[in-house]
Amino acid sequence: MTLALVLGVWLIHDGAPGDGPPPVGAAVVRASDTPAGTGQSSGGQASPSPESKPGNPPPQPLPPSAPTRVRIPAIKVNAPLAGLDLDPAGHLDTPPVGRPNQAGWYRNGPAPGAPGNAVLAGHADTRSGPAVFYRLGLLRLGDQIEVVREDRRTAVFTIDAVRTYPRAAFPDAEVYGPTERPELRVITCGGTYDKKSGYSNNVVVFAHLTSSR
C-alpha cells in the first residue's frame, strides 16, 4: 500500500536543545544503498537474512491484528503503541508530545506481521528531552524489532537497513511502496534541528518478518 504521507514535517517545533539524536552509523546511512530486503550493506558485503538461509523457510504471514507494544532490545525500547491517522493535509499524525515514550502505528495500513508494509512512528525528542526513538539511528543490520499484538502474538522483524533521508526529498515510494511479504518501517526525525524549520532529515528503519511466537 502506498501512503500519501509527508513525514518531513514532524517535530518542527518540538526538538529539544542540544546536539540532537545520535546519527545513523556510516555502515547503514546512505540513502543510495541497495534497497531494503537484499541483505547488503553500503560496504558491499552480503549479509543474508535468516529467512534466506538453507533449511529456514520464510515464516507464514500473520492474520491482521492491531499492535499494542513495540520492543527493540538493542536500544532498550519497550513502548506502548497507539493508532495514528492522517491529518487533513495527508500527513501522518504523531503520538502526543506529552507522551514522549509512546509510539504510534498507522492504523489504516497493514498490521505488523500481516502481508504488506506496516508503519510505526515516534518522536526522537521533545522540549522535555529524549523520546521513544531517540536512539533509532544506532540500530544495525540484523538487530530485531518485536511487535506485540492484540491477538497475543508477537511478530519478530529483522532489520535490513537503517537510512537517513533529507526531509525535502523523502522517497515515499521506496519507504511506503507495496510489498508481498510482511515488512516494517520505523520512522523518526534526525539530522540537524532548526527552531523555525524543525529537523532536516528523517531516519527510517527497514525490516522484514523473520519469526513469530
Side-chain angles (χ1 to χ4, degrees), residues 41-99:
S41 70
S42 60
Q45 289 187 325
S47 177
S49 66
E51 71 177 48
S52 67
K53 295 179 181 178
N56 192 8
Q60 290 296 314
L62 300 176
S65 180
T68 60
R69 181 166 290 272
V70 58
R71 294 193 290 252
I72 311 178
I75 55 173
K76 297 180 171 60
V77 166
N78 187 348
L81 284 168
L84 301 176
D85 295 305
L86 301 182
D87 67 18
H91 305 148
L92 185 65
D93 285 333
T94 61
V97 175
R99 298 178 183 175

Side-chain angles (χ1 to χ4, degrees), residues 2-3 117 170-178 185:
T2 301
L3 309 180
N117 206 348
F170 192 85
D172 291 340
E174 181 179 349
V175 175
Y176 305 124
R185 306 290 184 259

